[in-house]
Amino acid sequence: MNEDTLTPGALEGIRVIDMADTNAVYATKVLCDLGAEVIRIEPPGGDPMRKVRPVDEETGISAFYAFMNTNKRSVTLDLDSAEGAALFRKLVASADIVVESEMPGRLAALGLSYEDLGPDKPGLVWSSITPFGSTGPRSKWKADDLISQAMGGFMNLSGLPEREPLKLFGEQSCFIAGLHAASGILIALWHALASGEGQYVDVSVHEAIAHTLESAIQVYTIEGRVRERLPRNDEAGIGMFPATDGEIFVYANMNMITRSWFNLVKVLKRAGVAQAADLDDPKWQDPVFRRTAEARDIVRRIVGEFTKNKSKYQNYNELQGANVLSAPMSEIGDLFNNPQLKFLDWFVDQPIGGKPATWPGPAFRLSETPRRQPGPVRPPGEDNAAIFEELR
């Protein structure tokens, strides 16, 4: 391990061999951010992921690649050649964890699968992250984020009921499957360190997406109905309301957090909003009435009068100060000005060429083993000499 370039972290001293594709690479990013030495294996011509957009025009560096692979070391190997296969076996023998997303059966055909190499490394944790898992009738089928969201049931719950199902922006399946994989890998690593017994961690993107459907599966099995997409304002007091610079989301209902509705009514009456006192009528405590179009329209008009002449954050601060659940509808630029994220110093900079790029910061913080700061993007095979010499 090159101690000059790696910041100590929770996984310091753990070596990871990374052959994950775009559907799986977030798993190895998490391990690397936690301090593991991650060696990314690229084909001799370079990783196709390096061309994933957006690409910096000056340097030609993919922002996606830079974000997902910061601080990873890079070697180039041709696994189909005898020399490449031999080096791969040595890399695996030196590692604690292998993460790959090869088509099921490909590595076995080369004699380079977990079944081939695992017995020689009893404590090895090996994870395969593939669209449908390593076994079963669809194990060799391909998928991208759109397919994974659609087949996993995610899209059926996203969007407006009167419109077509909606795909969430970006490569969400990459992050969801990656987090599931990282969790499984760390549990298997803990077991290996405690017992000396490694294991195979089989991660299906399809299963990972289907695991995120909240209560839709329970509703189907217990109540016998399919959960439907909800309208933008499905109950009076819940929905988006206008602001001078966008919209504010208000969640003031009569169920889980009852006081939020009463607190909203108090705010509206205190502000002298026309017809706010009418919301004291007992009928507003009837959940059936609150879901009618009449009720939703009345509250949309009354609350809109309160919010429309103030900014998102003026509304947010006032409503939250009165214990009304609410949130500004943030655009990306709003995140950079978010006072909480600023206080936490959440954003991190990574050098790309001669200039810094700003990335999202950590989703959690460890007090004793902090997250590693991003370093420059390594060119393909930059660490060939050092790592291959070590393996001789």
Side-chain angles (χ1 to χ4, degrees):
M1 184 180 296
N2 184 345
E3 299 293 344
D4 294 331
T5 59
L6 298 183
T7 303
L11 297 182
E12 182 184 10
I14 299 298
R15 173 172 280 187
V16 180
I17 306 304
D18 176 15
M19 294 195 300
D21 64 10
T22 55
N23 283 328
V25 70
Y26 191 66
T28 52
K29 172 183 169 55
V30 171
L31 301 178
C32 192
D33 285 349
L34 290 173
E37 178 199 20
V38 179
I39 300 174
R40 182 152 185 85
I41 295 180
E42 306 187 48
D47 191 339
M49 195 185 299
R50 291 180 180 270
K51 297 179 181 178
V52 174
R53 295 183 294 177
V55 174
D56 180 64
E57 291 182 2
E58 257 183 60
T59 62
I61 293 174
S62 160
F64 181 89
Y65 183 90
F67 175 70
M68 291 295 185
N69 295 290
T70 179
N71 292 321
K72 295 178 183 178
R73 306 176 77 183
S74 172
V75 298
T76 52
L77 282 181
D78 178 5
L79 297 184
D80 292 307
S81 71
E83 180 185 12
L87 285 170
F88 179 73
R89 290 188 183 93
K90 290 180 179 180
L91 274 173
V92 171
S94 74
D96 304 285
I97 299 168
V98 175
V99 181
E100 48 90 4
S101 46
E102 297 290 321
M103 175 74 72
R106 168 170 154 71
L107 292 178
L110 299 173
L112 301 176
S113 67
Y114 175 69
E115 288 75 13
D116 297 309
L117 306 182
D120 295 328
K121 181 85 175 184
L124 181 66
V125 173
W126 186 301
S127 180
S128 293
I129 310 170
T130 55
F132 298 101
S134 64
T135 59
R138 294 177 177 168
S139 62
K140 295 188 179 182
W141 287 23
K142 296 181 179 180
D144 60 6
D145 183 65
L146 175 62
I147 292 171
S148 295
Q149 288 195 38
M151 291 197 66
F154 213 59
M155 287 174 58
N156 193 54
L157 299 175
S158 302
L160 298 174
E162 67 272 17
R163 296 290 303 275
E164 61 278 356
L166 183 68
K167 175 191 177 299
L168 295 187
F169 175 79
E171 302 293 323
Q172 293 302 318
S173 59
C174 167
F175 291 89
I176 294 170
L179 285 172
H180 278 79
S183 299
I185 289 166
L186 290 174
I187 292 167
L189 177 65
W190 178 85
H191 176 76
L193 294 174
S195 68
E197 180 183 43
Q199 58 187 301
Y200 183 71
V201 182
D202 191 6
V203 179
S204 157
V205 178
H206 183 52
E207 288 179 301
I209 293 295
H211 193 73
T212 63
L213 304 183
E214 205 220 4
S215 61
I217 291 177
Q218 293 92 317
V219 166
Y220 184 79
T221 55
I222 300 300
E223 300 181 7
R225 65 181 178 89
V226 176
R227 245 186 104 166
E228 298 176 347
R229 296 190 294 282
L230 298 175
R232 209 161 182 233
N233 301 319
D234 69 312
E235 179 182 331
I238 300 175
M240 306 298 300
F241 297 91
T244 57
D245 56 351
E247 293 180 299
I248 175 90
F249 177 72
V250 177
Y251 192 90
N253 74 343
M254 293 291 300
N255 295 326
M256 294 172 60
I257 307 175
T258 305
R259 298 306 312 176
S260 196
W261 167 256
F262 295 113
N263 291 338
L264 174 62
V265 174
K266 287 179 183 177
V267 168
L268 297 173
K269 291 195 298 182
R270 190 165 58 239
V273 177
Q275 296 183 297
D278 295 347
L279 302 178
D280 283 328
D281 190 303
K283 69 182 180 181
W284 290 101
Q285 297 181 37
D286 177 5
V288 176
F289 173 70
R290 291 170 62 88
R291 286 184 168 82
T292 63
E294 176 192 1
R296 296 200 305 268
D297 288 343
I298 291 171
V299 172
R300 186 182 302 114
R301 184 177 65 254
I302 294 174
V303 177
E305 284 297 314
F306 173 80
T307 63
K308 70 180 183 181
N309 295 320
K310 304 173 187 177
S311 72
K312 294 183 293 187
Y313 271 95
Q314 285 175 318
N315 280 301
Y316 175 57
N317 291 334
E318 189 168 350
L319 291 171
Q320 284 286 350
N323 291 319
V324 177
L325 287 176
S326 57
M329 179 57 66
S330 294
E331 298 176 357
I332 298 301
D334 293 325
L335 297 179
F336 286 86
N337 295 315
N338 182 295
Q340 182 68 13
L341 296 180
K342 281 186 174 181
F343 175 82
L344 295 172
D345 196 22
W346 183 68
F347 287 100
V348 295
D349 289 336
Q350 177 183 9
I352 290 186
K355 60 183 180 183
T358 301
W359 303 137
F364 56 86
R365 296 167 185 271
L366 302 178
S367 62
E368 305 305 318
T369 51
R371 179 183 189 266
R372 179 183 299 171
Q373 291 301 305
V377 179
R378 283 175 161 87
E382 182 176 278
D383 299 289
N384 282 4
I387 292 175
F388 294 159
E389 179 61 31
E390 172 198 319
L391 297 176
R392 293 186 189 280

